[in-house]
Amino acid sequence: MSQQGYVAAPPYSQSQPGIGGFSAGFGPSNSSLHFGHYGDPNSSYSAPQPGVSKSTVPFGSSAPVGPPPPGTHQFSQTNFQNGPNTPGQQPHRFQGPPPPSNAGPSYPPYSHQSQPAYPNTASTSPTAQLANHLNSMQINSYGPGTTPSSRMSSGHPASFQGPQLPPPTQQQITLPPGSQVRPPANNVNGLCAQPSLPPMARQDGIPGPVPPTPNLQQLSGQPPGPGYHPQQANYGPQMAGSQLSYPGAFPGGPAQLPGPQQKKLDPDSVPSPIQVIENDKASRGGQIYATNTRGQVPPLVTTDCVIQDQGHASPRYIRCTTYCFPSSSDMAKQARIPLAAVIQPFATVPPNETPLYVVNHGETGPIRCNRCKAYMCPFMQFIEGGRRYQCGFCNCINEVPPFFFQHLDHIGRRVDHYERPELSLGSYEYVATLDYCRNNKPPKPPAYIFMIDVSYRNINSGLVKLICDELKTLLDKLPREEQEESSAIRVGFVTYNKALHFFNVKSSLAQPQMMVVSDVGEVFVPLLDGFLVNFQESRSVVINLLDQIPEMFADTNESETIFAPVIQAGMEALKAAECAGKLFIFHSSLPTAEAPGKLRNRDDKKLLNTDKEKTLFQPQVNSYEALARDCVANGCCVNLFLFPNQYVDVASMGLVTMYTGGTLYKYSNFQLDADSPQFLSDLRKDIEKKTGFDAIMRVRTSTGFRATDFFGAIYMNNTTDVEMAAVDCDKAVTVEFKHDDKLNEDSGALIQCAVLYTSISGQRRLRIHNIGLNCSSQLADVYKTCETDALINFFAKSAFKAILSQPLKAVRDILVNQTAHMLACYRKNCASPSAVSQV
């Protein structure tokens, strides 16, 4: 999970069904294929009724100008900008550049519109496909009985007669009659696009957005910006004479009769994500972002800023698809926005930010709610003078333990509020007691086992020598706790081809000893003492071994290899040592030797683009899934480095890596000179990562909604506990939520993620992340706090899971349908009517 997203701008008005460009029978499209929460087989779209007139609003024209009608609000663009926010004010995503300063003659308000400045041609790009999909929904047609004149006769456009929006907090700007209104600035991210966005200006063949104006107005006496045509003012009764139709009408010609609806959307009307990223960097880059407000939208992940934990988890740890949940399940189904959180519990914290505090309550252990078992956090409310507290998740009243008691101040907050991380911070750690340990025994420090394929090809290519030489220096850089001088992690070494070779590197030995296990059908560990050692204590023996391995197998002719028994052997070694750990496996070919987990070449190109293509993504044999289960149960994480020069079955071999929280690296046709820098860089980063071992994660929520689906490199033995043999700074788990009941807008939606793990020093700990989100009954609030990168993360992981059971074409169609439904719902419920060429 490395990329996260852009957030939509707030809508300007809310249109009524059947008015402002949408048919009254609007609904979701038919779909027979489902995954996740997608699709509704009973829903359908109603086509516009024959003979319904089209609007006479010019193509690309903007909102009407002149004095606002009664009951409507004017908005200054500064209400939607990103910047320092006052408490209670929602931060938004965009601040446009200043308006052009050059003055020029103003245009008459009723001038005819000329031909559009951009071609509206068919395109096969993904943007065009989505545009065509939106057009096929017929969301631009007016409802039955609604004629264009109904929008004009009263002088109050129907599109401005939606629900009242709260008044802006900053200075309102009233436009003089006859002044030109330019389309809204490009302040959204492609998900929640305000429909009337400017077309892209082309210079020297490079598309780029037209510079927006910050106040959504064209000052009197100034010409419209580049790429815009004179706009019509639409207030008041229609003028006699010819009226403009869609582009293509001859200027000055007779009134155009309603014609067939234009089917193409202009891809250039889609907002630019690059512009959104740059605007966010300009407005929030280098600033301090304090997490003291529930439901506030954080800076984009591309924006470099300093995160200050003040009660909610840093966005480095948790990001949500939307920071305002719909208050009801019906509203969530209508919006079609997946409600999810991307949780990266071990995310890297920059040096200029405070690391997590560790709380130790001794033998008593962490304080938890008696009913829901949530851990003490800032969402707990202390009552009765501090003797009891009410759980923010289940509302249960709990007694405060005597050692934890403290008086309350005049506002009902504990006197030691800022002295305890668990009361004032969104993220912190607890030291766990023996009750949280496997078999009620304190854990041992974890171990790393390096398992090297020494078949003919790897020896001949120089790969084995490269790995051994690099390990000599890397073993000095094993991760350690900040207060410790050396790493507590122990290391072991195995080589293999058709047999397994274990090495005794005990510090008292002068030379390493090799023990061969040739019976790979019943793998066992031939030695315990001397296999897993502290590198600093056995340095000379280990260095000696790494020097000897390339020479030891220099004359080998063995080309067949095993694979599943290698993982089995590493897991059994960790199990015998009663510790968790990682296996670093360096492998190069399909395991064809007679052994458990043997695979065949099934690379059949005839299956591509057929219903059977999904079988290529499923494991060949069931033994790897069972092996993965055993690895997770014993805290054995598998990192796999593949160096194939022909077909390898990644779907089968990578299954254990995926389930155990490991990482798979693939270097096809590995060339020592060209590819070794990348490989060595990946290996260094992986070995030096701060990692949690033998981890279990549980996500708790406040009443009204719950976690239902989990996506990521995880294994789940039940519906609530996410098991990971290891979790490092690059691993993220995406969690989807569903409604159980109606959510309370006052109390919001609270989420607590707890990860129980063993640290690199062998200490059992609990890492807690808390975040609070807003709730609303207005779709506009949900859309304007969306984060596109979190949405894309969710869609990508959902699709990855779906390709195991559905054809690729069906999965692609589902993604397009889901995206189109989200945009269509936004356009129907949150956006004012606009030209047919805009999303």
Side-chain angles (χ1 to χ4, degrees):
M1 86 121 265
S2 61
Q3 298 188 3
Q4 287 144 351
Y6 329 116
V7 176
Y12 295 90
S13 65
Q14 187 155 344
S15 59
Q16 299 175 353
I19 303 178
F22 310 104
S23 67
F26 183 88
S29 63
N30 292 325
S31 173
S32 58
L33 295 165
H34 308 281
F35 71 87
H37 59 287
Y38 305 139
D40 183 358
N42 300 319
S43 60
S44 62
Y45 283 100
S46 64
Q49 297 190 5
V52 176
S53 301
K54 301 285 192 296
S55 168
T56 58
V57 177
F59 185 96
S61 66
S62 61
V65 294
T72 64
H73 293 288
Q74 299 169 303
F75 281 80
S76 165
Q77 185 63 32
T78 53
N79 293 324
F80 308 117
Q81 69 186 17
N82 268 330
N85 293 283
T86 56
Q89 180 183 351
Q90 287 291 335
H92 300 297
R93 279 291 190 209
F94 182 81
Q95 180 177 9
S101 58
N102 56 324
S106 61
Y107 287 82
Y110 282 91
S111 61
H112 294 297
Q113 185 172 358
S114 60
Q115 196 72 10
Y118 49 83
N120 194 5
T121 57
S123 172
T124 58
S125 67
T127 305
Q129 291 177 14
L130 177 60
N132 293 338
H133 194 89
L134 281 169
N135 268 320
S136 67
M137 294 181 179
Q138 307 245 359
I139 64 173
N140 292 298
S141 58
Y142 288 93
T146 304
T147 63
S149 60
S150 67
R151 298 180 65 246
M152 307 293 294
S153 57
S154 66
H156 298 79
S159 63
F160 277 38
Q161 296 175 358
Q164 297 281 325
L165 294 176
T169 58
Q170 302 188 21
Q171 183 180 2
Q172 299 183 355
I173 298 178
T174 303
L175 303 182
S179 62
Q180 300 295 324
V181 176
R182 292 173 60 177
N186 185 3
N187 58 350
V188 289
N189 60 358
L191 164 66
C192 317
Q194 174 69 17
S196 49
L197 294 170
M200 308 288 278
R202 295 184 179 273
Q203 295 181 358
D204 300 327
I206 301 176
V210 176
T213 80
N215 292 318
L216 302 182
Q217 65 171 336
Q218 178 67 36
L219 298 178
S220 178
Q222 291 186 355
Y228 294 101
H229 298 288
Q231 308 293 317
Q232 274 194 301
N234 292 331
Y235 281 97
Q238 292 191 5
M239 293 184 64
S242 61
Q243 300 295 322
L244 290 180
S245 182
Y246 289 101
F250 294 98
Q256 300 294 316
L257 295 176
Q261 182 178 358
Q262 189 167 346
K263 292 294 182 183
K264 302 295 182 185
L265 298 186
D266 178 31
D268 288 343
S269 299
V270 178
S272 166
I274 305 301
Q275 189 63 44
V276 175
I277 291 173
E278 294 303 320
N279 291 339
D280 196 67
K281 285 181 180 179
S283 61
R284 309 182 82 170
Q287 299 182 8
I288 293 178
Y289 171 74
T291 64
N292 56 356
T293 306
R294 188 185 76 191
Q296 64 179 337
V297 182
L300 300 179
V301 290
T302 49
T303 300
D304 186 17
C305 62
V306 178
I307 311 294
Q308 194 174 83
D309 189 341
Q310 293 188 8
H312 297 269
S314 163
R316 302 190 194 282
Y317 297 119
I318 302 180
R319 283 184 180 264
C320 299
T321 53
T322 176
Y323 287 82
C324 181
F325 274 17
S327 57
S328 67
S329 59
D330 290 340
M331 185 178 165
K333 290 175 184 176
Q334 182 184 6
R336 292 293 188 95
I337 295 175
L339 307 179
V342 182
I343 304 173
Q344 196 172 351
F346 282 78
T348 303
V349 177
N352 59 347
E353 294 181 17
T354 307
L356 296 190
Y357 289 95
V358 179
V359 180
N360 190 351
H361 288 322
E363 295 181 359
T364 308
I367 300 173
R368 307 177 67 178
C369 171
N370 293 329
R371 180 192 292 170
C372 69
K373 301 302 180 185
Y375 294 88
M376 178 59 66
C377 67
F379 304 145
M380 305 299 187
Q381 182 66 43
F382 288 88
I383 56 176
E384 297 183 15
R387 291 186 297 275
R388 294 185 178 184
Y389 68 91
Q390 183 175 20
C391 176
F393 296 90
C394 67
N395 298 320
C396 176
I397 305 296
N398 298 271
E399 296 286 340
V400 174
F403 79 92
F404 196 69
F405 172 79
Q406 185 56 269
H407 294 284
L408 307 183
D409 61 14
H410 64 287
I411 59 173
R413 189 167 56 190
R414 284 175 57 120
V415 175
D416 63 349
H417 176 83
Y418 292 106
E419 298 172 12
R420 291 191 176 272
E422 68 270 35
L423 299 181
S424 57
L425 300 179
S427 300
Y428 44 88
E429 287 192 335
Y430 281 115
V431 175
T433 60
L434 291 179
D435 295 335
Y436 295 87
C437 300
R438 195 185 294 271
N439 301 323
N440 289 336
K441 292 181 181 178
K444 296 180 180 179
Y448 285 179
I449 302 178
F450 299 92
M451 317 185 84
I452 305 171
D453 174 3
V454 290
S455 59
Y456 171 78
R457 179 175 170 269
N458 281 8
I459 292 290
N460 196 43
S461 68
L463 178 61
V464 173
K465 188 175 188 311
L466 177 71
I467 294 170
C468 291
D469 289 345
E470 183 64 22
L471 287 179
K472 294 175 191 175
T473 58
L474 277 184
L475 292 177
D476 277 321
K477 300 178 181 177
L478 292 173
R480 57 183 174 83
E481 296 287 358
E482 292 182 3
Q483 68 272 16
E484 294 181 355
E485 294 182 1
S486 62
S487 175
I489 293 175
R490 293 172 293 168
V491 295
F493 301 89
V494 174
T495 58
Y496 66 94
N497 38 46
K498 288 179 69 173
L500 290 159
H501 319 114
F502 290 79
F503 294 93
N504 185 347
V505 286
K506 194 172 182 180
S507 59
S508 59
L509 296 176
Q511 290 286 332
Q513 297 175 349
M514 181 172 78
M515 299 184 182
V516 180
V517 176
S518 55
D519 183 6
V520 292
E522 296 284 341
V523 175
F524 66 96
V525 181
L527 76 161
L528 291 179
D529 187 31
F531 177 64
L532 295 177
V533 299
N534 183 290
F535 174 66
Q536 301 300 334
E537 296 175 0
S538 301
R539 172 186 290 271
S540 60
V541 186
V542 171
I543 296 296
N544 200 344
L545 170 66
L546 294 174
D547 286 333
Q548 291 181 22
I549 286 177
E551 301 171 2
M552 200 181 302
F553 300 96
D555 299 328
T556 184
N557 291 319
E558 191 60 68
S559 58
E560 287 190 324
T561 58
I562 56 176
F563 184 68
V566 179
I567 300 176
Q568 183 79 28
M571 182 194 70
E572 293 293 344
L574 293 175
K575 185 177 179 181
E578 296 182 338
C579 70
K582 273 187 183 182
L583 308 183
F584 292 83
I585 302 179
F586 305 92
H587 193 83
S588 64
S589 59
L590 197 68
T592 54
E594 286 299 329
K598 175 184 176 181
L599 299 174
R600 59 179 174 82
N601 190 329
R602 56 169 180 166
D603 187 19
D604 188 356
K605 294 183 179 179
K606 294 179 182 177
L607 297 181
L608 299 179
N609 297 319
T610 67
D611 288 344
K612 293 184 178 180
E613 183 178 12
K614 61 190 177 186
T615 60
L616 299 177
F617 307 120
Q618 300 167 355
Q620 277 188 45
V621 291
N622 295 328
S623 58
Y624 284 100
E625 190 166 350
L627 184 57
R629 248 192 328 264
D630 292 342
C631 285
V632 173
N634 291 284
C636 174
C637 171
V638 179
N639 278 0
L640 179 57
F641 294 81
L642 280 176
F643 306 89
N645 62 350
Q646 54 188 358
Y647 172 80
V648 289
D649 193 346
V650 176
S652 299
M653 299 172 66
L655 192 69
V656 180
T657 297
M658 183 183 73
Y659 278 147
T660 59
T663 307
L664 190 150
Y665 302 88
K666 185 168 177 279
Y667 309 91
S668 297
N669 300 311
F670 183 82
Q671 300 294 323
L672 201 64
D673 296 335
D675 302 323
S676 57
Q678 181 63 52
F679 159 60
L680 295 178
S681 172
D682 292 338
L683 180 59
R684 289 186 199 111
K685 288 179 182 176
D686 207 305
I687 288 180
E688 295 172 10
K689 281 178 184 176
K690 293 286 182 68
T691 306
F693 298 89
D694 198 12
I696 300 176
M697 184 177 93
R698 179 172 286 194
V699 176
R700 293 177 173 85
T701 60
S702 54
T703 54
F705 73 112
R706 60 189 171 88
T708 56
D709 285 306
F710 299 83
F711 307 91
I714 57 175
Y715 176 77
M716 297 193 69
N717 214 12
N718 53 44
T719 57
T720 57
D721 294 334
V722 176
E723 298 183 46
M724 296 169 284
V727 53
D728 59 47
C729 58
D730 294 329
K731 299 298 182 296
V733 179
T734 301
V735 185
E736 184 182 12
F737 303 99
K738 293 286 179 64
H739 283 77
D740 279 336
D741 201 354
K742 191 175 177 65
L743 297 179
N744 188 323
E745 295 189 28
D746 294 332
S747 57
L750 308 180
I751 300 170
Q752 183 181 82
C753 168
V755 182
L756 175 65
Y757 73 99
T758 301
S759 70
I760 51 180
S761 61
Q763 188 179 47
R764 202 68 172 155
R765 291 183 184 175
L766 282 153
R767 179 166 289 207
I768 313 295
H769 298 297
N770 307 284
I771 189 170
L773 308 176
N774 288 333
C775 299
S776 177
S777 58
Q778 299 296 321
L779 281 172
D781 296 332
V782 178
Y783 274 98
K784 72 183 179 182
T785 59
C786 282
E787 183 163 340
T788 308
D789 264 339
L791 284 166
I792 291 174
N793 181 294
F794 173 84
F795 286 141
K797 289 183 177 178
S798 299
F800 180 82
K801 190 175 182 180
I803 60 173
L804 299 177
S805 57
Q806 299 187 38
L808 284 178
K809 184 179 184 304
V811 176
R812 283 192 289 264
D813 289 344
I814 290 171
L815 289 174
V816 172
N817 283 335
Q818 176 74 358
T819 308
H821 275 111
M822 291 164 58
L823 293 172
C825 179
Y826 173 78
R827 180 162 185 163
K828 178 182 179 183
N829 296 284
C830 304
S832 57
S834 65
V836 100
S837 67
Q838 302 206 342
V839 178

